[in-house]
Amino acid sequence: MIRRDILWKGIIEELAEDFLYFFFPGHIHLIDIGRGFEFLDKDLEKIMPEADTRQRHADKLFKAWLKDGQEQWFLVHVEVQGYPDGQFAYRMFQYYYRILDRYNKPVTAVAIYTDTRRAYHADTYRVDFFNTELTYRFQSFVLLDHTPQKLRSSNNPFGFALEVARRALDERKSDDDRLMVSKLDMLRHLLTRGLDKASIRRLYNFITYYTAFQNLENKLKFEDEVQKITKSRKPMGLEEAILQEVKEQGIEQGIERGIEQEKRLVVIRTYEKGLPLTDIAQIAELSVEQVEQIIQTYEAEK
């Protein structure tokens, strides 16, 4: 099962333009969308190397350009698990001052809360000591405060991704039958939006993997229903897409570097996508022990 933090990182990157339209409608006219975006995940790792990777949150840092030629950095933090964290607001402030100090780049930040723990849904960090006061306020979006219907009515692809996550809050205790109805409803709506194939594919994968069926038989039934609705061949899932991507890229470089290098590339790319070691081993046609050794070497070289 693909982890939700991996899904969030992927959908934010793939729908970055729609993300900006959704969260910054009053500023979108200032952004030079045509210049595209530069994603700064490596910079984020340098800024917060001590971040606890066991916690399920998704951080993205990316750069956009304003129409006047200036750079603007966007920090996106998605809380996936909703674990109690009384220091969350402080961590958001840490991101801000470290980016400002290291790169001299001001940042606009968004925290998306995908859980039900309202007590931890902060939007401000404040400290006051002996007549010295600091207030850091960032944009927060509490999924629980928005109905699926409201998110759908935004007519924004990223709003649709938020709808998928919002429905998951209601479906935590649902049975597979209700989940089936919900997923198929979202899929039918997705196909009426007139989106390009790439966006449909991304959002289909988000629908498919964000909330899993308890019974494997229902997962297969869902895929059959999708095939009937689309009246086409079975759509490629996220893991299959990853497999095709790494195989294609691995083969291209493998011609020059040899089969072993190709397999190493396959392992690294699938590892970065968050696949389990057993799946990586099967894809790369290696043992789990060999996969672990490649990953250990890769992490040491980073």
Side-chain angles (χ1 to χ4, degrees):
M1 181 64 188
I2 306 298
R3 296 200 323 250
R4 285 184 175 178
D5 55 321
I6 298 297
L7 291 174
W8 276 115
K9 287 181 180 181
I11 205 69
I12 290 169
E13 183 166 333
E14 292 166 342
L15 299 180
E17 179 178 342
D18 300 302
F19 170 89
L20 294 177
Y21 271 96
F22 188 90
F23 285 107
F24 300 96
H27 301 86
I28 196 69
H29 66 285
L30 302 174
I31 301 174
D32 189 353
I33 299 295
R35 289 193 63 176
F37 311 99
E38 182 180 343
F39 293 92
L40 307 167
D41 290 11
K42 293 298 182 183
D43 295 81
L44 203 57
E45 292 176 6
K46 294 176 183 177
I47 292 165
M48 298 288 280
E50 70 275 24
D52 189 349
T53 57
R54 293 172 300 176
Q55 306 289 12
R56 292 293 181 257
H57 55 253
D59 297 329
K60 294 294 292 185
L61 181 65
F62 64 95
K63 182 194 304 183
W65 284 263
L66 304 184
K67 291 181 178 179
D68 62 5
Q70 297 183 32
E71 294 179 2
Q72 178 62 64
W73 288 30
F74 294 85
L75 170 66
V76 186
H77 185 100
V78 182
E79 285 298 304
V80 179
Q81 289 287 71
Y83 59 91
D85 185 1
Q87 294 296 308
F88 174 72
Y90 174 65
R91 287 196 291 113
M92 289 295 285
F93 176 62
Q94 275 187 306
Y95 276 113
Y96 176 80
Y97 77 68
R98 290 189 182 187
I99 293 171
L100 185 63
D101 179 60
R102 189 179 187 111
Y103 302 102
N104 194 27
K105 299 295 182 182
V107 171
T108 182
V110 179
I112 304 174
Y113 296 104
T114 64
D115 64 287
T116 59
R117 296 175 178 267
R118 291 187 179 276
Y120 300 97
H121 294 168
D123 63 2
T124 304
Y125 172 71
R126 182 179 292 109
V127 60
D128 185 357
F129 179 70
F130 284 5
N131 301 323
T132 297
E133 180 178 351
L134 171 71
T135 300
Y136 173 65
R137 185 172 292 109
F138 50 91
Q139 184 175 176
S140 67
F141 185 86
V142 180
L143 200 58
L144 195 63
D145 292 339
H146 303 267
T147 65
Q149 294 75 21
K150 181 179 179 181
L151 294 168
R152 178 176 293 192
S153 67
S154 69
N155 292 319
N156 181 302
F158 195 82
F160 183 76
L162 291 169
E163 178 194 342
V164 175
R166 177 61 181 85
R167 290 201 186 201
L169 291 178
D170 296 333
E171 292 156 0
R172 288 175 300 162
K173 298 181 180 179
S174 297
D175 57 29
D176 276 7
D177 290 338
R178 290 181 58 186
L179 182 59
M180 179 77 69
V181 172
S182 177
K183 284 195 174 195
L184 291 176
D185 170 71
M186 289 188 287
L187 176 63
R188 291 188 180 95
H189 174 72
L190 176 62
L191 295 176
T192 66
R193 291 292 312 281
L195 299 175
D196 59 87
K197 291 183 179 180
S199 295
I200 291 175
R201 179 63 156 278
R202 293 161 184 160
L203 289 166
Y204 165 76
N205 285 328
F206 202 75
I207 292 171
T208 300
Y209 290 97
Y210 196 85
T211 305
F213 290 104
Q214 298 178 32
N215 191 314
L216 176 60
E217 183 178 342
N218 288 320
K219 178 181 183 295
L220 299 176
K221 181 180 178 182
F222 171 73
E223 293 176 351
D224 288 340
E225 291 297 321
V226 170
Q227 192 172 2
K228 293 176 184 177
I229 292 172
T230 58
K231 298 179 181 179
S232 64
R233 63 183 177 85
K234 181 179 177 181
M236 184 184 299
L238 183 58
E239 293 185 19
E240 290 84 356
I242 292 171
L243 173 58
Q244 179 177 346
E245 174 189 344
V246 297
K247 284 290 188 182
E248 290 176 352
Q249 296 184 19
I251 289 172
E252 291 175 1
Q253 298 190 25
I255 293 173
E256 299 177 358
R257 300 184 183 181
I259 300 301
E260 293 304 318
Q261 180 65 18
E262 174 191 340
K263 290 188 176 183
R264 182 177 184 276
L265 180 62
V266 169
V267 169
I268 291 171
R269 290 188 180 278
T270 48
Y271 168 67
E272 290 179 336
K273 295 291 186 180
L275 266 66
L277 294 183
T278 52
D279 291 352
I280 296 175
Q282 183 177 3
I283 291 171
E285 298 179 347
L286 296 170
S287 68
V288 173
E289 291 74 17
Q290 289 174 308
V291 168
E292 290 177 338
Q293 185 176 2
I294 291 173
I295 291 173
Q296 289 174 2
T297 303
Y298 169 67
E299 290 290 350
E301 293 173 349
K302 289 172 67 175

